Amino acid sequence: MNQPRSSGNDQTSADTVLVTGATGYIGSHTCIELLASGYDVIGVDNFDNSEAVVLDRIAELAGRPIAFAELDIRDTDALRKVVAEHQPAAVIHFAGLKAVGESVAYPDKYWSVNVGGTLSLLDAIADSAVTKFVFSSSCTVYGDPAEVPVNESTPVAPISPYGRTKLTAEEMIRDILSTRDCSGLLLRYFNPVGAHESGRIGEDPVGVPNNLMPFAMQVAVGRRDSLSIFGDDYDTPDGTCVRDYIHVVDLADGHVAALKALDATDTCEIVNLGTGTGSSVLDVVNAAGEAVGTPIAHQVVGRRDGDAAIVFADTTKAEAMLGWKAERTMADMCRDHWAWQSQNPNGYE
Ligand code: NAD
Ligand code: UDP
């Protein structure tokens, strides 16, 4: 197994990782963990859903910068130039669009970026030195699973254009990598929350947050009046939906573990990344209130269309294949998300 080098600037290194979507929420946290593990990073992003200042914060937190190119992943020629210049040995592909509701309104955009962009990336790395490919997929591909915990053999049944683009991208990656000397991991994330413990980087949703934790934290910081809990009449212990929330830094560490695991395989595998523990909406609201020091104002409203009652991961495969396990608790997730939100009440400005 290759060991990442501890430092250096050899641009043909086997330890340079191309990270797409590097300035986004999960990408930025992963860049820091990659740098801390001795990898060099060449990041790309078009800032569609992120800010250039993130690059400064990554350098500040990691003690050294990443190389970076502003580009749209659908621009294959621009990507090819980056690959030729930096000669990465691995790719972690985060860049994409991720809002379920928006994907229903603008499916063409989602197919273009999530599927077209992924094809462009695969095209750009053809005949390159890349031998490891990690893809950001989502537990949304499972839809409303009949049984929990959800393992990698649970039938897939995405119910939104977003979910279908993720599943299609997975299948495309698997087909294309099978013709190349390149191993792959298709990582299906559960619900990433939290932030770097410094509070210097975090999730900065545009407009009204769709997701539970960012909404709750914006209530706490005074940007929103009250959180709507979407239904308390589900067949769950307290009637609210149950999800598998995972700290974004644990998730970032999972990507470092994935790169190391890819040294030992020549296949393309699906792996769930979650904690294996379910928390209800009320559990999250209460934990967030504890972290903030004041209860999160909330009221129960009707169900949101398309929400499954209970989704949480079976983490057996991740532990066996990656030697990785999420370590941080719900209290850690809320503490760190609050550190970010309270220090940056309006996000990256
Ligand atoms: P994010 O929006 O914060 O990051 C994605 C990044 O990709 C952004 O910086 C954005 O500017 C960039 N991007 C978008 N379109 C691009 C394009 N055409 N060219 C170049 N860059 C582009 O999202 P995130 O939460 O960090 O998610 C990263 C990945 O993980 C996504 O692929 C998402 O589908 C997947 N994922 C996220 C979650 C979640 O809840 N956050 C859950 C499961 C899977
Ligand atoms: N949720 C909620 N109020 C909100 C946002 C989300 O009650 O403002 C609930 C949602 O119904 C789901 C859970 O919180 O049961 C997690 O939703 P989120 O959108 O964060 O993630 P999902 O699991 O849907 O991807």
Side-chain angles (χ1 to χ4, degrees):
M1 189 178 286
N2 291 341
Q3 289 302 315
R5 157 181 100 238
S6 58
S7 64
N9 53 14
D10 172 3
Q11 295 296 337
T12 59
S13 166
D15 299 319
T16 297
V17 184
L18 170 60
V19 177
T20 74
T23 46
Y25 173 46
I26 306 170
S28 56
H29 289 83
T30 302
C31 284
I32 288 171
E33 298 309 311
L34 288 168
L35 292 171
S37 299
Y39 292 95
D40 289 332
V41 174
I42 164 64
V44 299
D45 204 295
N46 67 351
F47 300 127
D48 180 71
N49 194 36
S50 56
E51 306 286 334
V53 69
V54 173
L55 294 167
D56 300 333
R57 305 232 177 146
I58 291 171
E60 169 195 316
L61 294 171
R64 63 190 175 107
I66 63 167
F68 183 78
E70 181 177 348
L71 57 78
D72 189 310
I73 53 164
R74 290 167 295 181
D75 184 343
T76 314
D77 288 339
L79 267 176
R80 213 176 268 128
K81 280 188 194 128
V82 167
V83 171
E85 184 184 348
H86 295 275
Q87 296 286 315
V91 172
I92 305 181
H93 178 32
F94 293 106
L97 305 178
K98 62 168 183 175
V100 171
E102 188 190 49
S103 79
V104 175
Y106 305 103
D108 46 349
K109 232 171 102 175
Y110 275 67
W111 283 91
S112 173
V113 174
N114 291 358
V115 176
T118 300
L119 183 58
S120 167
L121 174 62
L122 288 163
D123 195 8
I125 61 170
D127 305 317
S128 76
V130 173
T131 56
K132 296 181 271 190
F133 193 99
V134 179
F135 176 60
S136 298
S137 190
S138 169
C139 69
T140 196
V141 300
Y142 297 113
D144 187 353
E147 284 181 17
V148 288
V150 175
N151 67 36
E152 291 79 0
S153 304
T154 296
V156 287
I159 54 174
S160 69
Y162 169 62
R164 286 188 283 276
T165 62
K166 283 287 166 190
L167 186 58
T168 303
E170 282 189 6
E171 289 168 346
M172 185 171 70
I173 292 164
R174 189 201 298 281
D175 282 349
I176 292 176
L177 295 191
S178 75
T179 66
R180 298 183 185 172
D181 179 21
C182 186
S183 52
L185 276 166
L186 310 171
L187 302 179
R188 293 178 175 165
Y189 312 153
F190 281 65
N191 290 57
V193 296
H196 190 272
E197 63 178 2
S198 65
R200 294 289 287 158
I201 59 169
E203 187 173 14
D204 184 15
V206 176
V208 181
N210 295 308
N211 298 115
L212 178 62
M213 184 71 85
F215 201 110
M217 290 297 175
Q218 289 196 8
V219 171
V221 85
R223 277 175 70 179
R224 317 257 161 222
D225 291 337
S226 179
L227 170 77
S228 293
I229 293 182
F230 299 138
D232 66 353
D233 56 352
Y234 286 91
D235 185 14
T236 61
D238 65 21
T240 65
C241 293
V242 169
R243 295 287 182 276
D244 187 339
Y245 298 91
I246 176 168
H247 196 296
V248 67
V249 177
D250 276 332
L251 193 59
D253 287 340
H255 290 76
V256 177
L259 285 185
K260 292 180 178 165
L262 282 174
D263 286 329
T265 177
D266 56 4
T267 58
C268 184
E269 297 271 346
I270 295 164
V271 175
N272 288 339
L273 293 188
T275 64
T277 302
S279 302
S280 74
V281 176
L282 280 173
D283 291 336
V284 174
V285 170
N286 291 334
E290 289 281 320
V292 169
T294 331
I296 308 292
H298 64 272
Q299 74 285 338
V300 176
V301 300
R303 292 182 175 197
R304 183 171 72 175
D305 279 351
D307 273 339
I310 305 186
V311 186
F312 62 94
D314 181 332
T315 59
T316 311
K317 189 170 178 185
E319 286 173 38
M321 195 172 165
L322 309 186
W324 165 92
K325 194 171 172 11
E327 288 170 354
R328 291 164 178 83
T329 64
M330 175 57 69
D332 298 333
M333 300 178 211
C334 292
R335 179 199 62 216
D336 294 341
H337 209 116
W338 178 236
W340 153 253
Q341 190 71 73
S342 54
Q343 288 177 43
N344 304 269
N346 297 310
Y348 296 109
E349 290 181 287

